[in-house]
Amino acid sequence: MSTRPAIVVDGITKSYGDLAVLTGVDLTVGKGSIFALLGSNGAGKTTLVRILSTLLRADGGAASVNGFDVSAQGAEVRGAISLTGQFAAVDEVLTGRENLALVARLRHVPRPDRIADELLERFSLADAGGRRAATYSGGMRRRLDIAMSLIGDPLVVFLDEPTTGLDPQARLEVWAAVRGLAAAGTTVLLTTQYLDEAEQLADRIAILHEGRIIANGTLAELKRLLPPAKVEYVERQPTLEEIFLAVVGDRNKERKVAS
Ligand SMILES: Nc1ncnc2c1ncn2[C@@H]1O[C@H](COP(=O)(O)OP(=O)(O)O)[C@@H](O)[C@H]1O
Ligand SMILES: [Mg+2]
């Protein structure tokens, strides 16, 4: 396909005083794809996201979002994106529906109440829409936050560690919401410290380490970087996460039967 990429990052550098955080980052994100920027705590993920969303200026290099240069065309970039951080923008005093309608009014979107109802439905929050956000679980709150970020139909959504601090069930709910975004054509750049999150969600994965992208590709391409796996005839053990979810799922079913 010859369509222009949604995000192009070319040799971006950034230091805080003596601390060189990004020392020449290059990457390209295709339109409508989910791209995971994987890196440990302090690797510089948030710094890069802040540069791409025009909140922070790079020291060197260039980057564009939807064809607009992040340093020279900030307003156009901001018009094309939304950013959801680790710390949600949800107002606890308002209901889910009120939070959405408020953002819609602030962004001058026509028919805010209708948009609110559509997004509640899309993120499986319709039943909870009339409840104050303070009563929501972590997963519901994060879903509401992502829903809020979609008002105005951004072409590119930045999700900075969307599941950090969530329990396993809530993570799965957020993953489903992220997959839904990409299915609807939105480009998603998410940062994560979790290998399984990148593995489950992303079309492409880039590993940010010591200021640079040290690996970049599809999961299959990244797997080829490793020596071929030896075939061993052992039963596959379930992961702790699978066990946790199976046990919790059974208990939820029991509770529903009992009530
Ligand atoms: N405003 C700042 N001033 C000084 N150092 C900062 C600032 N923001 C981040 N850092 C440092 O830069 C490094 C990268 O931070 P960050 O981009 O937040 O990483 P990540 O999001 O991958 O955890 C860390 O060492 C952090 O302490
Ligand atoms: Mg961060």
Side-chain angles (χ1 to χ4, degrees), residues 16 19 21 40-47 161:
Y16 299 107
L19 180 68
V21 174
S40 40
N41 223 343
K45 303 181 297 296
T46 297
T47 298
E161 300 204 21

Side-chain angles (χ1 to χ4, degrees), residues 168-188:
Q169 179 63 44
R171 290 179 80 206
L172 293 184
E173 292 169 9
V174 170
W175 287 358
V178 173
R179 288 195 188 101
L181 291 187
T186 310
T187 304
V188 178

Side-chain angles (χ1 to χ4, degrees), residues 245-259:
L245 289 169
V247 175
V248 169
D250 286 342
R251 290 202 34 138
N252 282 346
K253 260 181 245 151
E254 278 167 32
R255 237 184 294 144
K256 272 196 190 132
V257 172
S259 60

